[in-house]
Amino acid sequence: LYSSAASDVYKRQQRGGEIAANLGSLYDYIERRLVEAGVSSDTAVLDEVSALLKEVKAGWESVPAEARSMQS
């Protein structure tokens, strides 16, 4: 799920401007944190990542369905 979302953000960065770039940076950060969590077995890192993804999900859900499904 994560890599699919990150891949989608990367594809949309070319036409998505600043928001897409910021999401790309966030997904890069999340990926680094997940690697760190895997190495250190630190569940606090997983909690942090979970909270970040919940915020992204809430933001996405606040966008009207018509706008989310628009193809450019």
Side-chain angles (χ1 to χ4, degrees):
L1 178 64
Y2 162 76
S3 63
S4 175
S7 175
D8 187 51
V9 168
Y10 177 77
K11 290 175 189 174
R12 292 175 187 253
Q13 275 183 327
Q14 300 303 322
R15 63 178 192 257
E18 184 179 355
I19 292 173
N22 289 342
L23 278 173
S25 295
L26 177 61
Y27 285 131
D28 287 343
Y29 173 77
I30 287 171
E31 184 174 14
R32 288 191 308 272
R33 295 296 282 160
L34 288 172
V35 169
E36 181 181 329
V39 170
S40 67
S41 299
D42 186 349
T43 58
V45 175
L46 297 177
D47 292 339
E48 175 193 358
V49 167
S50 178
L52 290 169
L53 290 173
K54 285 177 184 177
E55 285 187 49
V56 170
K57 181 179 184 274
W60 180 249
E61 290 175 341
S62 72
V63 175
E66 304 81 42
R68 289 191 309 238
S69 64
M70 292 177 69
Q71 301 288 325
S72 302

